């Protein structure tokens, strides 16, 4: 069954179409009615009639009486007020529908490239954003029935590995493993870097080591693997702590494409796309110019013969389409890499690796800022460990939980504190338009008031508490009555769920789902203030319990798609 919005739009489209083929009703939720169609305004100019006349012509041919009442308003808007019967009937259907009206679509194979931290480097807040946004997109696509292939494009190759391996040898394997396994990746990296900068013989050794690594020397590969394994094990701990569905099996790092790079170069040469520029092998995709107005190259092979970041990404696109059979590919990476991806996509299209029917998109995002509105760093100017952020949030949540519920057991308090902490951090990230920067403000994000993750968790838990008091698990399947304006407003909100999910997936913008959930929670809270539930007369009580149940399930389902738990009790 299509959503309420889709059903109304369909009828209106038909009528608009009859008046002027292809005309769009431009239907939106409205404060003046349930929905408003503004399409007559644009059409008026085309038809040389007044908008009200056009609106009247549309209404004359509109077949919608079984769903809604319509009237012309203002300069030529068509106000749409949905019939109570239609709404109630749809709500009843939802009570027995586990997916709350969201239909599975025919599965698409979707590759999502996200998280992608770098070996022997601490994950920074940019990786937090990529991880949290990517995880939510993966959940959303899976929910719609898509087959999701997660790709953790870990940075596990390149010249720094020479110095990292030499440093590992200096420390001794056991010592190195111990230091990496506590997750102190940055100090390992910094120590290697310091020696590299200060010590000529270390520099020499490191360079020689890069050569052995690239030529496939077995012992060098083994040492490199230690660095990779330790780092990936650490990343997995972070994912688990964040409750993110990425595992070691999703790691297909840059090095995985090493054997493809020569053939990428070869293919590009065969298609006459390669140009030598200052000793490097480049492609100049049309339409990309630098600040100086000169055409911008995508460097495939550097002048020192090494392959870089771009070559790997080209090999990855080719693999994702050619071997994995992707219908859609998403790269959840910060905005600064926008030009890089546009160029990679463009070259991949030129080379024929990315046919036009494959949707390929850079899901870009802004920065996380500190309270000073500069890049978020620790007081000493270092990158902030994600784990430390989560620990701080958990600590704050634990204090709050034990203050509010002194009787709670240690274990439950701990698990609740973790759920609340993750909700706080993830929701703060997901609820801002991803292209915008946001300030990392723990107090605000963990607060149970305002547009926060914990607020939505409370809203859900409060409804579950209502059911506990009623002594039932679920509401009886009655037809909701919708007499009060706040009941009606809540019902309309609940019926918007499939559209919210669809719009979120279509735009890869989790903040749309967040605003939807926040709106539903607020509609519920108004309803709950105005309409007694458990003390309502028989009949009304069951109807209101049904609305409450649908709200709780919508919130829980929505939070799950954001990667946030919805505890039964807070
Ligand atoms: N490792 C990179 C970084 O930390 C991100 C990689 C993004 N994915 C890709 N296919 N290039 O910036």
């Amino acid at each position: 069954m299509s959503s309420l919005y889709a059903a109304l739009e369909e009828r209106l489209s038909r009528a608009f179409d009859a008046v002027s083929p292809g005309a769009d009703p431009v239907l939106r939720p409205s404060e003046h009615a349930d929905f408003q169609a503004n399409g007559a305004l644009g059409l008026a100019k085309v038809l040389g009639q007044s908008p009200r006349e056009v609106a009247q012509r549309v209404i004359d041919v509109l077949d919608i009486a079984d769903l809604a009442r319509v009237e012309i308003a203002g300069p030529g808007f068509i106000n749409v007020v949905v019939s109570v019967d239609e709404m109630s009937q749809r709500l009843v259907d939802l009570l027995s529908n586990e997916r709350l009206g969201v239909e599975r679509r025919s599965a698409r194979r979707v590759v999502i490239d996200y998280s992608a931290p770098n070996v022997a480097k601490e994950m920074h807040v940019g990786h937090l954003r990529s991880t949290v946004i990517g995880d939510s997109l993966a959940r959303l696509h899976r929910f719609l029935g898509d087959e999701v292939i997660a790709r953790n494009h870990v940075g596990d190759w390149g010249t720094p590995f020479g110095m990292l391996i030499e440093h590992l040898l200096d420390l001794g394997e056991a010592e190195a493993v111990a230091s990496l396994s506590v997750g102190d990746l940055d100090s390992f990296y910094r120590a290697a870097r310091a020696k590299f900068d200060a010590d000529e013989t270390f520099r020499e050794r490191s360079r020689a080591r890069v050569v052995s690594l690239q030529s496939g020397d077995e012992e060098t590969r083994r040492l490199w693997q230690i660095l990779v394994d330790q780092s990936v094990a650490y990343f997995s701990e972070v994912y688990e702590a964040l409750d993110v569905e990425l595992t070691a099996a999703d790691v297909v790092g840059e090095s995985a494409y090493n054997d493809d790079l020569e053939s990428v170069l070869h293919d590009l040469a065969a298609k006459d796309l390669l140009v030598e520029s200052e000793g490097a092998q480049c492609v100049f995709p049309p339409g990309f110019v630098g600040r100086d107005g000169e055409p911008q190259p995508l460097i495939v092979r550097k002048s020192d013969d090494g392959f870089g970041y771009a070559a790997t990404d080209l090999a990855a696109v080719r693999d994702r389409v050619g071997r994995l059979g992707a219908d859609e590919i998403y790269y959840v990476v910060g905005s600064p890499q926008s030009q890089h991806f546009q160029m990679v996509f463009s070259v991949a299209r030129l080379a024929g690796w990315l046919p036009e029917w494959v949707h390929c998109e850079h899901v870009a995002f802004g920065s996380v800022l500190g309270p000073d509105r500069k890049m978020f760093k620790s007081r000493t100017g270092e990158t902030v460990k994600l784990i430390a952020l989560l620990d701080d949030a958990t600590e704050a949540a634990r204090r709050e939980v034990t203050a509010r519920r002194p009787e709670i057991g240690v274990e439950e308090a701990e698990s609740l504190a973790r759920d609340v902490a993750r909700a706080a951090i993830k929701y703060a990230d997901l609820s801002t338009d991803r292209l915008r920067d946001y300030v990392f403000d723990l107090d605000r994000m963990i607060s149970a008031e305002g547009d926060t993750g914990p607020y939505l968790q409370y809203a859900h838990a409060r409804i579950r508490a209502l059911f506990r008091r009623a002594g039932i698990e679920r509401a009886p399947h009655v037809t909701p009555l919708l007499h009060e304006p706040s009941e009606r407003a809540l019902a309309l909100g609940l019926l918007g769920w499939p559209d919210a999910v669809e719009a979120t997936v279509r735009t890869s913008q989790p903040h749309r789902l967040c605003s939807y959930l926040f709106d539903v929670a607020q509609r519920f809270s108004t309803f709950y203030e105005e309409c007694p539930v458990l003390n309502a007369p028989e009949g009304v009580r069951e109807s209101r319990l049904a609305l409450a149940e649908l709200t709780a399930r919508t919130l829980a389902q929505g939070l799950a798609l954001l990667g946030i738990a919805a505890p039964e009790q807070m």
Side-chain angles (χ1 to χ4, degrees):
M1 189 180 59
S2 60
S3 73
L4 173 62
Y5 174 86
L8 297 169
E9 199 192 31
E10 219 242 292
R11 302 290 184 89
L12 279 152
S13 288
R14 255 193 258 159
F16 269 85
D17 209 50
V19 170
S20 174
D24 179 357
V26 197
L27 183 67
R28 305 241 164 76
S30 157
E31 282 172 23
H32 309 291
D34 296 336
F35 297 92
Q36 195 169 65
N38 297 349
L41 272 60
L43 207 51
K45 290 188 203 84
V46 183
L47 299 180
Q49 283 174 310
S50 83
R52 287 187 71 100
E53 278 168 341
V54 175
Q56 188 57 54
R57 283 180 63 192
V58 170
I59 289 180
D60 288 344
V61 293
L62 181 62
D63 166 26
I64 206 168
D66 55 329
L67 301 182
R69 185 158 56 67
V70 293
E71 66 186 17
I72 302 181
F77 306 135
I78 299 175
N79 280 354
V80 179
V81 179
V82 184
S83 88
V84 169
D85 283 352
E86 176 65 21
M87 283 208 262
S88 303
Q89 190 46 52
R90 284 178 173 268
L91 292 171
V92 183
D93 291 347
L94 295 192
L95 281 167
S96 56
N97 181 323
E98 282 312 310
R99 298 171 59 82
L100 294 160
V102 177
E103 279 166 33
R104 247 179 252 277
R105 59 180 181 190
S106 66
R108 307 186 43 80
R109 191 167 291 175
V110 177
V111 173
I112 309 181
D113 179 324
Y114 65 106
S115 196
N118 302 308
V119 165
K121 276 198 192 163
E122 201 58 63
M123 290 171 83
H124 55 67
V125 283
H127 298 120
L128 168 73
R129 296 215 68 185
S130 174
T131 305
V132 168
I133 296 169
D135 183 56
S136 172
L137 296 182
R139 292 172 194 258
L140 280 154
H141 278 278
R142 278 194 205 105
F143 183 60
L144 286 191
D146 291 340
E147 182 192 340
V148 173
I149 303 177
R151 277 291 184 258
N152 193 351
H153 194 84
V154 167
D156 61 358
W157 202 252
T159 43
F161 282 89
M163 76 181 189
L164 290 168
I165 293 171
E166 287 304 315
H167 179 54
L168 181 149
L169 287 171
D170 286 358
L171 282 181
E173 276 178 44
E175 180 65 25
V177 166
S179 100
L180 287 168
S181 64
V182 296
D184 207 358
L185 307 191
D186 270 353
S187 44
F188 187 92
Y189 195 95
R190 266 201 308 271
R193 181 83 227 180
K195 275 196 276 176
F196 188 88
D197 289 340
D199 178 347
E200 178 57 35
T201 49
F202 185 81
R203 250 194 319 269
E204 286 304 313
R205 277 162 53 199
S206 301
R207 291 201 185 104
R209 190 56 79 176
V210 175
V211 176
S212 330
L213 181 64
Q214 278 163 349
S215 62
D217 172 61
E218 242 175 70
E219 174 62 4
T220 303
R221 275 301 273 231
R222 188 183 68 79
L223 297 167
W224 167 83
Q225 193 68 53
I226 294 175
L227 293 172
V228 174
D229 290 347
Q230 290 304 316
S231 302
V232 169
Y234 171 68
F235 300 147
S236 297
E237 275 173 39
V238 176
Y239 299 144
E240 206 177 304
L242 278 173
D243 190 13
V244 158
E245 294 176 333
L246 267 179
T247 68
D250 302 316
V251 172
V252 181
E254 294 177 7
S255 67
Y257 303 97
N258 283 347
D259 292 343
D260 300 341
L261 301 177
E262 284 290 349
S263 90
V264 160
L265 194 76
H266 184 268
D267 271 14
L268 291 171
K271 295 199 166 97
D272 243 357
L273 292 166
L274 276 187
V275 177
E276 186 171 324
S277 170
E278 294 168 35
Q281 298 293 323
C282 308
V283 182
F284 288 87
F288 293 92
V289 285
R291 288 219 185 88
D292 49 6
E294 290 294 301
Q296 280 276 102
L298 184 71
I299 300 175
V300 185
R301 176 173 242 167
K302 295 179 277 187
S303 53
D304 67 1
D305 273 1
F307 289 105
Y309 191 57
T312 308
D313 268 323
L314 287 172
V317 179
R318 197 177 66 163
D319 183 68
R320 289 164 186 184
V321 178
R323 200 174 55 84
L324 297 179
D327 299 307
E328 297 175 14
I329 314 177
Y330 297 93
Y331 291 81
V332 190
V333 186
S335 297
Q337 294 193 37
S338 176
Q339 160 111 332
H340 164 76
F341 283 112
Q342 295 321 318
M343 293 181 84
V344 166
F345 300 164
S346 170
V347 170
R349 299 242 184 241
L350 289 173
W353 300 324
L354 191 56
E356 58 179 324
W357 61 83
V358 177
H359 175 82
C360 194
E361 185 177 337
H362 174 209
V363 178
F365 54 80
S367 309
V368 183
L369 307 177
D372 55 359
R373 299 203 61 89
K374 300 218 177 82
M375 291 302 257
F376 189 50
K377 291 267 165 69
S378 75
R379 239 166 283 154
T380 50
E382 289 150 35
T383 38
V384 186
K385 282 195 181 192
L386 298 191
I387 281 294
L389 287 182
L390 196 58
D391 286 347
D392 287 352
T394 309
E395 177 56 40
R398 196 184 292 123
R399 258 182 274 126
E400 201 268 327
V401 166
T402 43
R404 199 164 26 83
R405 286 174 59 196
E407 82 297 344
I408 197 174
V410 181
E411 247 171 67
E412 196 191 344
E414 192 52 34
S415 112
L416 198 51
R418 287 195 162 273
D419 282 343
V420 171
R422 292 193 277 241
I425 290 180
K426 288 182 174 183
Y427 190 86
D429 198 298
L430 295 168
S431 61
T432 18
D433 180 338
R434 60 177 160 76
L435 290 172
R436 289 179 37 205
D437 301 341
Y438 72 91
V439 173
F440 193 92
D441 177 352
L442 189 55
D443 291 338
R444 185 189 67 79
M445 30 176 112
I446 205 135
S447 161
E449 274 149 47
D451 186 7
T452 68
Y455 167 76
L456 292 178
Q457 288 179 316
Y458 273 105
H460 170 265
R462 235 172 261 141
I463 301 176
R464 296 307 301 158
L466 187 67
F467 277 81
R468 280 194 295 278
R469 265 183 280 134
I472 51 176
E473 177 59 28
R474 288 197 132 184
H477 285 194
V478 295
T479 308
L481 295 168
L482 312 182
H483 291 154
E484 300 298 324
S486 62
E487 292 175 312
R488 193 192 159 79
L490 176 59
L492 261 182
L494 294 169
L495 292 172
W497 161 251
D499 306 310
V501 172
E502 186 278 326
T504 305
V505 175
R506 180 169 36 80
T507 57
S508 301
Q509 290 179 335
H511 78 271
R512 290 176 182 246
L513 185 57
C514 296
S515 339
Y516 169 78
L517 295 174
F518 184 57
D519 178 59
V520 164
Q522 285 183 310
R523 285 171 192 250
F524 182 82
S525 135
T526 309
F527 155 80
Y528 199 49
E529 269 164 36
E530 292 175 5
C531 302
V533 178
L534 297 185
N535 297 328
E538 206 186 309
V540 178
R541 172 187 150 109
E542 288 68 28
S543 154
R544 290 182 178 164
L545 278 169
L547 286 175
E549 177 188 313
L550 288 174
T551 307
R553 279 170 49 206
T554 303
L555 292 175
Q557 185 68 259
L559 287 170
L561 293 176
L562 299 171
I564 298 174
E568 287 285 298
Q569 195 176 356
M570 299 273 295

